[in-house]
Amino acid sequence: MKAESYSFDIRRAAFPTVLTGVSFIAFLVVYWILIRGFVESYYWEGLLLAIPFVVYGIITYMTAKGKVSKSKSKILTIGLATAFGILTAFFLIFIVLNSIVTTTTDVSRYKVALDQMGSLTQGFPREIPDNAEEVSFSYHPALGQGGEELVLRFKTDKESIRSYKNMYTRLAAWHGFSTDWERTEHGVFDGTLYVFGGDYNELPSDLEIYVLYSRPYQPGKWNHGERSMVLISEENLKIVFNAEDW
């Protein structure tokens, strides 16, 4: 009788079996979004979402073995489904809010940030070149009155710098130097040039500005607007890519 009582019969666990499958599929979909859909990835945090299908799997096994009755299994599964649903909602809200206030500096997330900003980064390298040195990267999303911004800096060899200069001379909507006040008509102000590194008074004298795209909130008003540009100093062998939507 004991062997028969604990024989495995999945038909006894139809309801928790369905929830196990559904929660497993939901975990795969949401986990993929967490690691690919956000600029700041959530590899470890996302694994918490595996808890529901693991728990449902245990209930399924115990019910199929006859160690938990069908009625108790159903009540337990419904109760846990409600609790997991509420906890998952709060967890995802936390993740979204955290992603909004987090500045990403992981260079491996550069390409994801490019995709996040869309057409504003058109003309930027899709991948960081192999010969790039002293690479630094930052991205932060828009938050309230704060703008969305991406900055990529690196040093490279003289041949690559000259190649970049030739390419962006052709692509730029406006091209000039940091000493040209005409740059303000394209949304490039003294504070804007801080992205090159250091403060305005320490900018290299040969710093060239290539504005790829700029659009003010209203004609002549740059309180809000969009701009993407490339800053190059051949003397320092340094190039900076900057896109901002504020």
Side-chain angles (χ1 to χ4, degrees), residues 217-243:
Y217 177 67
Q218 293 180 352
K221 296 183 178 180
W222 288 95
N223 187 38
H224 295 285
E226 299 175 317
R227 184 203 61 252
S228 63
M229 66 178 181
V230 182
L231 305 176
I232 298 177
S233 170
E234 186 171 350
E235 179 183 344
N236 290 268
L237 300 179
K238 183 177 179 180
I239 183 167
V240 177
F241 300 87
N242 174 233

Side-chain angles (χ1 to χ4, degrees), residues 26-42 92 95 109:
F27 164 70
L28 293 179
V29 172
V30 177
Y31 188 70
W32 186 89
I33 293 173
L34 291 178
I35 64 175
R36 301 297 299 176
F38 289 83
V39 176
E40 185 72 15
S41 59
Y42 295 91
L92 293 178
I95 291 294
R109 306 301 292 176

Side-chain angles (χ1 to χ4, degrees), residues 39-170:
V39 176
E40 185 72 15
S41 59
Y42 295 91
Y43 294 103
W44 297 109
E45 295 89 340
L47 292 177
L48 292 173
L49 296 175
I51 293 175
F53 87 79
V54 171
V55 173
Y56 294 143
I58 293 172
I59 295 173
T60 297
Y61 175 80
M62 298 293 287
T63 306
K65 289 288 289 184
K67 295 183 178 181
V68 176
S69 66
K70 290 176 62 177
S71 59
K72 288 182 179 179
S73 173
K74 187 172 183 179
I75 293 172
L76 181 60
T77 303
I78 291 174
L80 286 172
T82 303
F84 283 142
I86 294 172
L87 290 173
T88 298
F90 278 107
F91 174 76
L92 293 178
I93 291 172
F94 168 78
I95 291 294
V96 170
L97 293 177
N98 184 72
S99 70
I100 291 174
V101 299
T102 300
T103 297
T104 303
T105 57
D106 183 352
V107 175
S108 68
R109 306 301 292 176
Y110 167 69
K111 191 172 182 180
V112 182
L114 278 186
D115 295 336
Q116 190 81 6
M117 294 205 73
S119 60
L120 195 57
T121 56
Q122 186 174 357
F124 287 17
R126 292 300 300 171
E127 296 180 353
I128 298 174
D130 293 336
N131 62 348
E133 299 179 352
E134 300 181 25
V135 180
S136 66
F137 159 73
S138 68
Y139 168 84
H140 65 77
L143 175 61
Q145 295 297 314
E148 180 182 25
E149 184 177 26
L150 179 151
V151 181
L152 173 68
R153 307 180 188 89
F154 60 82
K155 288 189 174 182
T156 185
D157 56 73
K158 181 164 290 189
E159 182 179 349
S160 296
I161 286 291
R162 289 177 177 173
S163 177
Y164 281 125
K165 290 175 69 172
N166 290 334
M167 178 174 66
Y168 290 116
T169 297
R170 297 192 304 269

